[in-house]
Amino acid sequence: MTVPRIDGHTRVIAHLGHPTHSFKAPLIYNPWFAASGTNAVVVPIDCPAGALDSLLPPLMAAPNVLGALITMPHKVGVVALLDEVSRTARVAGACNAVKRAADGRLIGDLFDGEGFVRGVQRKGLVLKGASALVVGSGGVGSAIAASLAAAGVAHLALFDTNGTASETLSQRLRAAYPLLQISTGKSDPAGLDLVVNATPLGMEPGDPLPLDVDRLDARTFVGEVVMRERVTAFLSAAQARGCRVQVGTDMLFEQIPAYLEFFGLPVATPERLRELAALDGPPAAPRASPPPRASGAR
């Protein structure tokens, strides 16, 4: 992989979230920057829950910081720190991209949902008039729900173990899309056109599945947001039922062109980004051998 140029003129995009071990964006953006001669770099910064309020404002005040990619657990909380957000971000109540305007205002937008929708549409799924279930009403789930509504789905079911989160999201959706049929409180996927796991379940080995896969119909399209594994246990179970699927990284590749436009950087197609991406990464360094024990040590 070509290494991006980093010098005193480099424009920095911070990637804020926790934990950072699952971050994929730097492995996609940075190869593109290197290939296109763009003097910019995406840098992962570990930002645990509760740290964003103290970290984001001074970070964004640095003149060479273009902005930030925002991921779990900050997509919802970051909205309160911004001066302006897009309509999609307002409806979703979440944000995953922040930039500083010329006058110093912080402006936010949301591309998770757009990336997810572009991906399933490019795979042939017709969303206008469709029925969908989104499991998870946090930042990414809210984004996908908002973008599905904008794409014209007729019925949208929302489920979250925190029932208040789903109800709050449903109220914002009803205000923006009064003709949309919305239901909450159930995660039954039977008979639906699209089912989405928008929870972190699947990031760790042994995580439970987000819903009862035995209720999935073979015609149902199943989408995932977890990116740590290309085919999660949930997607594998859905494929065993005969379902078409979209892996989590597809959502990422499809939304990055919109991100690049947002930051005013050269834009690549999803196909070019895939070609250049270094998602496999270099082999892990071998673990160091322990030092030899001194003679006579116990």
Side-chain angles (χ1 to χ4, degrees):
M1 179 184 72
T2 304
V3 178
R5 179 184 179 91
I6 299 177
D7 58 23
H9 300 284
T10 301
R11 293 166 288 178
V12 176
I13 299 173
H15 191 181
L16 302 177
H18 177 81
T20 59
H21 63 69
S22 63
F23 285 9
K24 303 295 187 185
L27 302 173
I28 302 173
Y29 283 86
N30 292 335
W32 164 243
F33 293 153
S36 62
T38 303
N39 197 351
V41 63
V42 171
V43 180
I45 298 178
D46 199 338
C47 183
L52 189 67
D53 291 20
S54 60
L55 179 60
L56 184 68
L59 182 65
M60 294 296 294
N64 66 327
V65 173
L66 273 180
L69 312 178
I70 308 295
T71 190
M72 297 185 296
H74 303 299
K75 292 182 181 181
V76 175
V78 71
V79 174
L81 303 178
L82 306 180
D83 301 299
E84 178 185 330
V85 296
S86 68
R87 178 175 181 267
T88 300
R90 285 198 306 272
V91 172
C95 169
N96 69 352
V98 177
K99 67 180 178 180
R100 184 184 61 254
D103 60 4
R105 293 178 306 125
L106 297 185
I107 299 173
D109 209 335
L110 186 65
F111 301 113
D112 280 335
E114 181 176 355
F116 184 89
V117 164
R118 286 185 184 186
V120 297
Q121 288 177 326
R122 277 161 57 95
K123 294 176 180 67
L125 182 64
V126 177
L127 292 176
K128 188 172 181 60
S131 58
L133 165 67
V134 179
V135 180
S137 298
V140 66
S142 297
I144 292 172
S147 293
L148 289 173
V153 298
H155 177 259
L156 187 56
L158 306 173
F159 178 80
D160 195 288
T161 53
N162 176 1
T164 301
S166 293
E167 288 298 332
T168 301
L169 174 58
S170 71
Q171 291 170 13
R172 293 196 300 267
L173 284 165
R174 288 188 178 99
Y177 302 96
L179 298 182
L180 176 63
Q181 297 179 14
I182 304 174
S183 60
T184 61
K186 294 183 179 180
S187 60
D188 185 4
L192 300 178
D193 299 306
L194 172 67
V195 170
V196 187
N197 173 38
T199 77
L201 293 176
M203 287 187 66
E204 301 296 338
D207 278 351
L209 298 181
L211 52 82
D212 183 359
V213 295
D214 290 337
R215 297 281 294 165
L216 281 170
D217 293 342
R219 71 174 186 83
T220 300
F221 194 107
V222 175
E224 174 71 273
V225 304
V226 171
M227 300 182 193
R228 187 171 184 183
E229 299 291 339
R230 175 172 172 79
V231 179
T232 61
F234 175 53
L235 290 186
S236 180
Q239 288 177 318
R241 301 281 298 175
C243 301
R244 291 182 297 157
V245 303
Q246 174 165 289
V247 300
T249 52
D250 284 358
M251 179 181 70
L252 182 58
F253 281 108
E254 293 286 351
Q255 69 182 285
I256 287 178
Y259 266 116
L260 293 170
E261 292 173 2
F262 178 72
F263 289 121
L265 296 170
V267 176
T269 64
E271 289 76 19
R272 181 60 172 155
L273 293 168
R274 290 178 191 276
E275 177 186 340
L276 295 169
L279 291 178
D280 291 335
R287 297 179 62 183
S289 300
R293 300 175 67 182
S295 176
R298 296 290 185 267

